[in-house]
Amino acid sequence: MESLQKPLQVQNLAIADLPPELIINILSRLSVKSLCRFRCVSKLWLALINHPRFVKMHLDQTQREKLFMYAADYFYSKKSFYSVNFESISYDVNKVDAVKMDIAAFISDLDIAAFELDLLVKWYTWFLIGSSNGLLCFGLGKYFWLYNPSTRERKQVPDFQFPENMEVGFGFGFSYVDSIDDYKFVILHRPGNIVDIYSLRKNSWTSIQHDFCIRYGLFREMGFPLNGAIHWDSHYVDNDFKPDTYDRVIIAFDLVEENFKTLHLPIKESGQCFGIFKGYLSWLDKKIDTYELWVMKEYGVIASWTRILTVNSSCALRPLCYLKNSNTMMLNRYCSYYQELVFYNPKSRKFKKIEVNGSREFYVDRHIEYVESLVSLNYENHFRTEDKLLEYWF
């Protein structure tokens, strides 16, 4: 009879009877959506879930990954943000569901003139800059925003004044810097010698001058973050400019030291595209109908460039990502007058077309990998968190 009563005793066990370290361990493995609801359980739980130490623990343990794409459901349509859940796709599926972000809902309650709101919605004048620890950075009209899609918290970056001379171009980048525990948003003027840097921790801009010469501009405005730096693919020449000696290189802006350096590519040919792939700097080179994907295995070491994949294709290719726990690659493929998403299996060397939201054509202009997180945009408050309630947890 005693053995039958024991399970009943376990069922009647209250959550308050569990040791704090066990509660923390359980909660740190839950989704952001659940944790946002659980903030209402008590002041104790609210203090825990908002605490920077718990936020970091949750980020390290969950890693629920998504692919954010700035894309259109056919080549000539207006582009929007879409997200795809990594865990829901594999080589065996033929269809992918992409969730479209509702721009009208995002800006509906902003303090923006009605005519300007209409233009923003109608013409989709926004662009994706980057993602770091669950925070998205993007431009919307003449405004810049930081946004956590999981918590729906948003923050407008203080005004940045574009110069009147519209011939000036820009390079953009956004990243978390672990060594200084800060998020930085960078705007590189080109041509010119100015870099504007926004610090989320300080909630302010600084502007620095440099003597780094960028004469030919960048091949892509949006920089790629890695190892505490933002990287762009560019033609670079020193101040003793010689027309026949310029090189195509990777330009890296260090977010801690706030200076530039260059990294050489694996081959001198102009190549196809540069990016980040599987946590490495990557370079896609094209030779007639053959594509070679290279990665820099050891950051900053030119000799560590390694060719990891060769693909034969008469269509233009752009790698997006590897599927989770798989060697299958997702790519953007452009053939003649249409674009599509495809899977590529390196073992069979075969492509497989994918339907996205019922469409065979899906044009991806830019993509980033994104993880769910509790990271708050009221970041400066994280450094002043003092509450007696926290003594219960830590």
Side-chain angles (χ1 to χ4, degrees):
M1 196 70 178
E2 284 184 20
S3 61
L4 294 175
Q5 292 176 350
K6 286 183 179 180
L8 297 177
Q9 293 172 359
V10 172
Q11 289 177 6
N12 292 331
L13 183 66
I15 192 71
D17 297 326
L18 298 177
E21 58 271 19
L22 181 57
I23 297 176
I24 291 174
N25 189 285
I26 294 171
L27 293 180
S28 67
R29 301 172 188 276
L30 300 181
S31 68
V32 173
K33 184 177 181 180
S34 296
L35 291 171
C36 288
R37 294 202 313 267
F38 292 163
R39 283 171 172 164
C40 303
V41 170
S42 67
K43 289 183 179 180
L44 269 175
W45 281 36
L46 175 64
L48 169 65
I49 294 170
N50 286 344
H51 194 276
R53 197 185 307 177
F54 178 81
V55 170
K56 186 177 186 309
M57 183 188 302
H58 177 265
L59 184 63
D60 292 340
Q61 292 211 45
T62 55
Q63 294 295 311
R64 289 179 170 84
E65 296 177 297
K66 294 184 179 181
L67 187 70
F68 258 80
M69 300 178 292
Y70 186 48
D73 52 10
Y74 59 94
F75 188 72
Y76 293 105
S77 66
K78 295 185 179 70
K79 293 185 283 292
S80 188
F81 285 163
Y82 293 84
S83 68
V84 174
N85 189 339
F86 263 138
E87 314 224 347
S88 68
I89 55 177
S90 69
Y91 188 80
D92 296 328
V93 305
N94 296 314
K95 299 179 180 179
V96 171
D97 292 325
V99 180
K100 185 176 180 180
M101 179 177 168
D102 187 354
I103 178 64
F106 179 85
I107 64 178
S108 61
D109 60 342
L110 300 181
D111 186 18
I112 302 176
F115 75 92
E116 192 172 351
L117 279 173
D118 183 62
L119 288 175
L120 290 175
V121 174
K122 186 175 181 180
W123 297 108
Y124 290 86
T125 53
W126 54 341
F127 53 95
L128 186 60
I129 294 169
S131 170
S132 189
N133 288 350
L135 299 184
L136 295 181
C137 179
F138 61 89
L140 179 59
K142 62 182 180 181
Y143 306 97
F144 291 109
W145 289 89
L146 300 178
Y147 179 54
N148 185 330
S150 301
T151 63
R152 300 194 177 183
E153 185 180 1
R154 68 188 180 195
K155 180 184 182 73
Q156 184 178 333
V157 177
D159 290 343
F160 171 76
Q161 299 297 322
F162 283 93
E164 294 182 5
N165 178 13
M166 294 312 293
E167 293 181 2
V168 174
F170 298 95
F172 301 96
F174 175 71
S175 181
Y176 174 69
V177 191
D178 184 66
S179 62
I180 57 176
D181 195 19
D182 196 6
Y183 291 82
K184 287 191 174 182
F185 169 37
V186 173
I187 300 179
L188 169 65
H189 297 243
R190 56 180 178 84
N193 61 345
I194 301 294
V195 178
D196 291 304
I197 307 159
Y198 171 75
S199 163
L200 179 59
R201 182 170 185 170
K202 298 176 182 176
N203 193 32
S204 63
W205 289 92
T206 57
S207 184
I208 65 170
Q209 291 189 330
H210 62 86
D211 57 3
F212 197 82
C213 184
I214 305 172
R215 296 289 182 92
Y216 281 92
L218 311 175
F219 285 91
R220 197 168 179 86
E221 292 178 338
M222 309 309 167
F224 295 92
L226 187 70
N227 277 28
I230 304 295
H231 304 79
W232 295 271
D233 168 24
S234 173
H235 276 137
Y236 164 75
V237 293
D238 58 25
N239 290 322
D240 298 323
F241 172 62
K242 296 179 181 179
D244 297 327
T245 60
Y246 66 83
D247 231 345
R248 189 168 178 178
V249 296
I250 297 171
I251 296 173
F253 181 73
D254 190 298
L255 296 171
V256 179
E257 301 295 331
E258 297 186 343
N259 56 25
F260 285 97
K261 63 181 176 182
T262 58
L263 301 170
H264 289 280
L265 296 165
I267 45 181
K268 288 189 175 181
E269 286 82 356
S270 60
Q272 183 76 9
C273 66
F274 158 72
I276 304 292
F277 203 74
K278 296 194 77 173
Y280 299 108
L281 293 177
S282 68
W283 178 250
L284 185 68
D285 185 53
K286 180 183 179 184
K287 297 176 181 177
I288 308 178
D289 289 343
T290 301
Y291 288 82
E292 295 178 344
L293 181 63
W294 297 71
V295 296
M296 183 182 274
K297 290 283 190 178
E298 188 175 348
Y299 182 79
V301 179
I302 306 305
S304 72
W305 279 108
T306 305
R307 183 176 57 196
I308 63 169
L309 187 67
T310 300
V311 181
N312 296 319
S313 174
S314 58
C315 299
L317 301 176
R318 181 156 58 89
L320 299 180
C321 62
Y322 275 113
L323 302 188
K324 198 166 185 179
N325 302 319
S326 169
N327 288 324
T328 299
M329 183 185 295
M330 181 188 287
L331 305 100
N332 210 32
R333 183 167 69 174
Y334 176 66
C335 300
S336 299
Y337 297 102
Y338 68 92
Q339 287 211 41
E340 59 190 1
L341 281 184
V342 295
F343 290 148
Y344 178 74
N345 187 323
K347 288 186 177 180
S348 64
R349 298 186 178 183
K350 291 183 178 180
F351 290 98
K352 181 179 180 180
K353 295 181 181 180
I354 315 165
E355 281 190 12
V356 182
N357 295 347
S359 173
R360 283 278 183 174
E361 295 185 37
F362 197 77
Y363 168 58
V364 179
D365 181 69
R366 175 158 168 73
H367 76 284
I368 54 174
E369 294 183 25
Y370 161 85
V371 295
E372 288 187 356
S373 86
L374 291 161
V375 173
S376 173
L377 294 168
N378 294 316
Y379 203 62
E380 63 274 13
N381 294 335
H382 283 196
F383 307 101
R384 301 192 296 269
T385 305
E386 296 292 340
D387 196 319
K388 291 183 178 180
L389 291 173
L390 298 177
E391 296 176 2
Y392 176 82
W393 298 110
F394 301 109

